Amino acid sequence: MNQILDAVRAGRTSLLPLLIKRLTLPERRALLPELTALRKEVRDWDWARRREHGGVASALLVAGAGCHTGAAAAAAWIGSRDLAEGGAARGSSRWAGLLAVLGDREPAWLGDVAHRLAARAVTVEDNYPLIRELIGLADCPVPTTDGFVHAWAEDMAFGGYPRSSRHLLSVALREDPRAAEMVPLLFQTAEPAATLNWYVDPQAPDHWPSALTALVREGIVERRVLVDGCVARLLRGGRPGGLKFYQVLLQRLDLTPAELREHTADWVAMTADAPSVLAGQAQQVLAGLSEAGELPAERLAEMSAGVLFRPEKKLVRAQLVLLGKALRRDREARHALLPAVAGAFGHEDTALQERALGLIGKHLRPGDEELRTELGFQAELLSPVHRRAAGELLGAGGVDFADEPPYEEILPPAPVRRRMPDQARTLSETVELVAALSRSAAPTVTEFESALDGLVRHAHHDRTALASALRPALADRWWATGDRQAEAGQIHGLELVAAAVLGCVRAYDLRPGSVPQSAGYHQNCVHSMLGAVVADRLREAAHHAVSGTLPFLLATPSWDTGSLEPRELVERLAAYGRLGVRPAPVDFAQALLRVRRDPAAAEAARALGTREGERLAAWLTTAGETPELLRRVREPDLSLRGHWWDRDWETMRRIVIETAERPVFQSEFPQSFHGLGRPRTGNGHRCYWVPDDAAYGAVLPEDRETQAAWLLPEVTVCAALDGRGAGARLSRLAELGGPAGPAVHLAVATGLGARHPEDRLAAVDALLVLAARGELDTALLGQDVAELLRLGTVKPNRLADAARTIAATGAYATTWAVLDGALPALLAGGAGAARGAGELLAVAADCVERSGAGGPGPEGLAAVASRAGSSRLVTQARRLRAALAAAEPGAVALVS
């Protein structure tokens, strides 16, 4: 047995089969503990022995496989990753050695090992050549696992061991004795084998659909196996790219009418649930059956119920055409088909509603009273203008829509601000929260401020007790290990305060007037300036946590948005006065930026008789007012030759908002706040640092206008270029305090045209929040959208998607009020041919029909509606004009 171990340690794999075959089964089992110990030793080798590792691992693999007498243990040994990772353990020699030591076993045992190896999803493809040979020796059924099927398909396509000289798929399939067993399994895997879609040219020798149809012609595989397999796999669904192979194979098979009829139920199911392209193909198949008289009216109605529920207008339109043809062929089928036609009444596109209503009007007969009543109930899903037409069409048998209640705008409720906890957290609660936030990437304002205030309070009360509780909770932090104190600039967030309490940070870095942690930040980046304030406040809190001079913080918010009630700040300043404590400069400055500007509280602030009380009173009246913002269009600078990732930004025509200088920041606030008061021209380079930190937004929670001006470049990048993610902060911005003026409206207007749906949805949320709080100026927002459309910053198709989302919440009048001001930019000067213009008009018409709005309509609408033709733009312009006219007394309610 020592000879075997010596051969393994020497990596002489070729000697092992002969040595192992001389051993009895008990002797082989006795050798396993030593092989296992050697395997553990090899696993712990470092990179210096990497070359030696490959040969030893290969020998271990063969020796262990030959010594295991149980199928499960042998499969586990062979399938282990650590023995197969060495370079020498790969290749055909690996399989030759394994087959040599396993070849004398019983066929049933070999088949068991093969199936167990095939069930190991991680390694089945690597071990496929061995599994294939073991199955041949055992003469057992092939494994049916997904990994084995995928490996077989790859072997057929590229020619693996042992037939490496084979290159043609068709030849490989024809020569494989198990092809008839394996081909049906191609349709049963959870995901299709990757090789099935690698060749798309039918003339290529490795084109799977061509090769499989050849097997059918030669009688190797039954045609029904392929047909049923494809249909079942398509019916199961999946990603469109993964279904392409099965669609192409069905086309190559060219199904007979009998085969098409046999799978009628499957085609019907595909039209309802399959991806759009596949549903369209199934719809064409059923249309052919219908025209041939092979699709009963009841089955066509069943199919229509699924198709007309889909959002794809092309499919719905084609289904209505199919129903119209069936009704013309058989008038008696109207009792089954007309209720199916009414399934389009609930579609979001009112043009399709109108088409369905016209189809019903064309095929109803005078005596169909029962049918009229049934259709009348379904007509409740129609838009208001079409409900009136349905009432006239269905007559006494239908539902009366004449006395509908007046339109009522439905807006989502405004977000409710949540109060910060009234009671300070206990010591254990504070420590638990700090420990949790030290591992959190984005704490909320409530969490961050509660933890910070709790650290300061408990450090003032009993720093020793706080340190004793914090030390085990933060023992795994890098700065808490060893005797060396860290620099303040190396520790971020709340950990800086906790580290100061534990004495793990240099007190020299925390002294008042020292260089702020943010001194190296980019001075022209708004995010750097906000980060400077947050970092300086944490540094100051850490200093006072060490000294224990502050009983609590002044700037702790009253609300989860970061806002602070002025009377609470007055009470805190009064408490400081009674305790003889001087406010910390950074903490008090942050409190001023957070306080809600209520001039009624100024008198109570002055009554404090302190300098801070006077500053608070001035801030609540005049000093804290938002400066005027200057808006202009920035023309592109074609002379710039910057980096390629900035070139589009610099040469793009866009709207910028310039903020004026605020001298009060320079004269009365600490140094870290000075950047917030500097003027910004909007000409800076594109910023790539977009922190998702609620603490940054809570620096100026009562100044939405300034924050919106700073956020505008990022939202513009999301709309005009490749940006992503700024919409989330736009949604939070709408919930803050302060006036919602031109900057907020412009940022929301830009966000409505963002490239990515999640950013558009966030802009929709922001708009609805403003509307619910009575702060939305629809005329101003419409003008902004119009200007952005003219500049090309916002695309009509993206705006249409956002507008449709707003309207779907029930805010039809609000949506129309915005679009009324935006549409002239598309309708004037022939620019209405822009992609999505017709879609935007469709949303506007739907809003007018549902809200009953009237008036002359946007400028240019009459000219577009008077054009010849039936394009979507012209059709929807006519519809919008008719809807506006219908709201006036005596107007015709239907679109002609």
Side-chain angles (χ1 to χ4, degrees):
M1 288 190 285
N2 289 335
Q3 289 182 318
I4 294 177
L5 291 175
D6 292 342
V8 171
R9 287 187 176 276
R12 304 185 66 179
T13 307
S14 59
L15 298 179
L16 292 173
L18 181 61
L19 295 174
I20 292 175
K21 284 185 178 181
R22 296 174 181 174
L23 304 179
T24 63
L25 292 181
E27 289 175 331
R28 296 184 185 186
R29 285 194 293 268
L31 187 60
L32 284 175
E34 296 183 68
L35 292 175
T36 302
L38 179 57
R39 176 183 176 183
K40 183 179 183 302
E41 176 188 337
V42 171
R43 188 186 297 138
D44 295 335
W45 284 355
D46 57 20
W47 279 94
R49 305 184 68 177
R50 186 62 182 172
R51 180 173 297 182
E52 181 185 358
H53 176 276
V56 177
S58 178
L60 266 174
L61 178 68
V62 173
C67 290
H68 277 95
T69 57
W77 185 277
I78 296 171
S80 60
R81 298 301 297 267
D82 60 316
L83 295 178
E85 288 177 351
R90 297 184 180 274
S92 58
S93 61
R94 169 187 176 188
W95 313 126
L98 287 171
L99 288 171
V101 297
L102 297 176
D104 60 346
R105 303 297 181 92
E106 294 292 330
W109 189 91
L110 294 176
D112 192 5
V113 171
H115 278 261
R116 290 179 183 276
L117 288 173
R120 300 174 69 90
V122 177
T123 58
V124 58
E125 295 190 25
D126 291 338
N127 292 323
Y128 170 77
L130 175 64
I131 299 171
R132 180 188 178 98
E133 295 303 317
L134 292 178
I135 291 172
L137 293 174
D139 193 24
C140 63
V142 296
T144 60
T145 62
D146 288 8
F148 182 80
V149 176
H150 291 183
W152 175 84
E154 184 174 349
D155 180 53
M156 292 295 102
F158 300 108
Y161 174 83
R163 303 180 183 180
S164 58
S165 62
R166 185 185 63 224
H167 297 293
L168 297 180
L169 172 65
S170 56
V171 175
L173 289 172
R174 191 180 301 112
E175 293 179 352
D176 191 329
R178 298 186 180 271
E181 293 181 77
M182 294 301 301
V183 168
L185 299 178
L186 292 174
F187 307 96
Q188 299 175 15
T189 57
E191 293 291 336
T195 58
L196 298 181
N197 289 318
W198 282 358
Y199 297 98
V200 295
D201 184 2
Q203 305 305 319
D206 291 323
H207 186 254
W208 271 95
S210 299
L212 291 178
T213 52
L215 294 183
V216 172
R217 290 194 299 270
E218 296 173 16
I220 298 176
V221 176
E222 293 185 19
R223 176 183 175 89
R224 187 181 186 87
V225 169
L226 299 188
V227 174
D228 291 350
C230 283
V231 173
R233 192 59 185 78
L234 293 174
L235 191 61
R236 191 196 307 175
R239 292 172 294 183
L243 300 178
K244 183 177 179 181
F245 160 73
Y246 308 103
Q247 295 175 261
V248 174
L249 180 54
L250 276 183
Q251 294 174 357
R252 299 285 291 179
L253 290 171
D254 191 19
L255 302 191
T256 65
E259 290 172 328
L260 293 173
R261 286 195 305 272
E262 184 180 355
H263 291 282
T264 298
D266 299 322
W267 310 129
V268 171
M270 289 181 205
T271 58
D273 300 320
S276 184
V277 174
L278 178 56
Q281 294 176 353
Q283 187 183 45
Q284 292 176 4
V285 170
L286 293 170
L289 293 176
S290 178
E291 292 178 0
E294 301 287 347
L295 190 68
E298 292 75 13
R299 184 54 65 88
L300 179 57
E302 177 189 350
M303 167 197 177
S304 301
V307 176
L308 297 180
F309 189 74
R310 297 181 67 113
E312 298 94 335
K313 298 171 187 177
K314 181 178 180 181
L315 293 177
V316 175
R317 195 177 299 113
Q319 190 66 22
L320 291 176
V321 171
L322 177 58
L323 287 167
K325 291 180 179 179
L327 287 167
R328 286 195 297 272
R329 286 194 302 269
D330 183 5
R331 294 184 176 182
E332 296 304 318
R334 67 184 184 277
H335 296 283
L337 296 184
L338 288 184
V341 172
F345 286 174
H347 199 277
E348 64 178 16
D349 189 343
T350 54
L352 293 174
Q353 294 181 10
E354 183 177 2
R355 177 174 290 197
L357 189 58
L359 189 60
I360 289 175
K362 187 175 182 180
H363 292 280
L364 269 178
R365 294 293 176 264
D368 295 337
E369 298 305 326
E370 184 177 347
L371 185 56
R372 291 175 190 271
T373 301
E374 180 181 357
L375 294 173
F377 288 114
Q378 293 181 273
E380 295 179 355
L381 300 175
L382 289 166
S383 65
V385 64
H386 292 128
R387 283 205 294 268
R388 291 191 291 270
E392 297 175 4
L393 172 65
L394 300 176
V399 177
D400 185 12
F401 298 107
D403 297 328
E404 290 190 4
Y407 172 76
E408 182 179 355
E409 183 84 336
I410 300 175
L411 291 172
V416 178
R417 294 187 303 174
R418 291 182 176 84
R419 266 268 183 191
M420 290 279 290
D422 294 331
Q423 299 295 328
R425 291 179 180 268
T426 63
L427 177 61
S428 59
E429 291 174 342
T430 299
V431 171
E432 182 180 357
L433 181 58
V434 171
L437 296 186
S438 68
R439 298 162 179 81
S440 174
T444 65
V445 173
T446 300
E447 292 171 339
F448 179 85
E449 295 293 339
S450 294
L452 181 60
D453 184 63
L455 287 172
V456 172
R457 285 177 182 269
H458 290 292
H460 172 77
H461 178 69
D462 189 345
R463 179 189 166 192
T464 303
L466 175 61
S468 299
L470 278 175
R471 186 167 286 108
L474 300 175
D476 62 336
R477 313 312 291 169
W478 67 269
W479 45 261
T481 58
D483 299 329
R484 183 182 176 185
Q485 290 182 319
E487 298 179 12
Q490 297 176 321
I491 308 177
H492 305 285
L494 287 168
E495 289 190 35
L496 177 62
V497 184
V501 171
L502 294 174
C504 296
V505 62
R506 299 187 310 187
Y508 177 83
D509 295 342
L510 303 177
R511 74 193 193 286
S514 62
V515 179
Q517 178 182 348
S518 55
Y521 288 3
H522 196 294
Q523 296 299 308
N524 292 323
C525 174
V526 171
H527 309 115
S528 295
M529 297 301 99
L530 293 171
V533 172
V534 175
D536 205 20
R537 182 168 175 241
L538 287 168
R539 184 186 58 81
E540 183 187 75
H543 168 73
H544 287 286
V546 173
S547 64
T549 52
L550 291 184
F552 52 84
L553 294 176
L554 296 174
T556 302
S558 306
W559 305 96
D560 61 351
T561 59
S563 296
L564 173 60
E565 287 298 316
R567 298 193 181 277
E568 290 187 28
L569 181 54
V570 170
E571 293 173 1
R572 293 174 188 175
L573 288 172
Y576 267 37
R578 290 192 298 271
L579 295 172
V581 178
R582 286 296 304 245
V586 178
D587 183 38
F588 179 64
Q590 177 63 91
L592 289 180
L593 295 184
R594 286 180 172 173
V595 71
R596 184 174 58 84
R597 296 185 182 93
D598 182 6
E603 188 62 32
R606 290 191 186 95
L608 293 173
T610 62
R611 181 175 178 273
E612 287 77 13
E614 292 295 333
R615 286 187 60 190
L616 175 57
W619 185 265
L620 293 174
T621 52
T622 57
E625 291 180 356
T626 302
E628 183 179 357
L629 304 177
L630 176 62
R631 164 178 167 161
R632 65 183 178 86
V633 175
R634 185 183 188 277
E635 298 296 338
D637 189 350
L638 302 179
S639 66
L640 292 175
R641 300 182 181 275
H643 294 291
W644 61 268
W645 56 80
D646 276 329
R647 196 168 299 133
D648 290 341
W649 170 247
E650 296 292 352
T651 58
M652 182 178 66
R653 194 164 180 248
R654 64 184 187 272
I655 300 177
V656 297
I657 293 183
E658 301 176 355
T659 58
E661 183 174 5
R662 303 179 72 175
V664 66
F665 278 86
Q666 314 300 326
S667 61
E668 299 184 18
F669 280 71
Q671 179 185 351
S672 56
F673 289 77
H674 292 179
L676 302 181
R678 295 194 186 105
R680 303 196 178 275
T681 63
N683 292 331
H685 291 288
R686 177 176 170 187
C687 180
Y688 291 91
W689 180 29
V690 185
D692 186 18
D693 191 340
Y696 283 34
V699 173
L700 291 170
E702 288 294 315
D703 193 354
R704 278 186 294 184
E705 280 291 276
T706 299
Q707 289 207 52
W710 292 344
L711 183 60
L712 180 61
E714 298 171 34
V715 182
T716 301
V717 170
C718 290
L721 299 177
D722 57 349
R724 192 172 201 157
R729 289 191 291 141
L730 180 63
S731 179
R732 291 196 294 266
L733 178 67
E735 300 180 15
L736 300 182
V744 171
H745 282 73
L746 179 59
V748 172
T750 308
L752 293 175
R755 177 179 181 180
H756 298 286
E758 61 269 23
D759 287 319
R760 291 199 297 272
L761 185 59
V764 168
D765 288 341
L767 183 149
L768 293 173
V769 168
L770 295 175
R773 294 169 61 167
E775 299 171 334
L776 182 65
D777 187 336
T778 55
L780 175 59
L781 185 62
Q783 293 170 9
D784 288 339
V785 172
E787 187 171 6
L788 292 168
L789 287 169
R790 293 189 189 99
L791 291 175
T793 305
V794 168
K795 306 297 188 295
N797 57 327
R798 298 174 186 170
L799 178 61
D801 177 73
R804 187 181 301 108
T805 304
I806 299 169
T809 66
Y812 294 104
T814 300
T815 308
W816 164 244
V818 174
L819 294 181
D820 189 20
L823 287 176
L826 288 180
L827 300 175
R835 179 185 175 190
E839 195 69 24
L840 196 58
L841 282 173
V843 178
D846 187 39
C847 291
V848 170
E849 291 170 354
R850 293 180 183 274
S851 65
E859 182 181 355
L861 176 64
V864 175
S866 301
R867 294 179 190 173
S870 58
S871 67
R872 182 163 181 78
L873 176 68
V874 174
T875 300
Q876 295 302 323
R878 293 170 184 164
R879 176 187 164 204
L880 176 57
R881 181 180 62 177
L884 289 168
E888 299 177 359
V892 179
L894 291 176
V895 180
S896 59

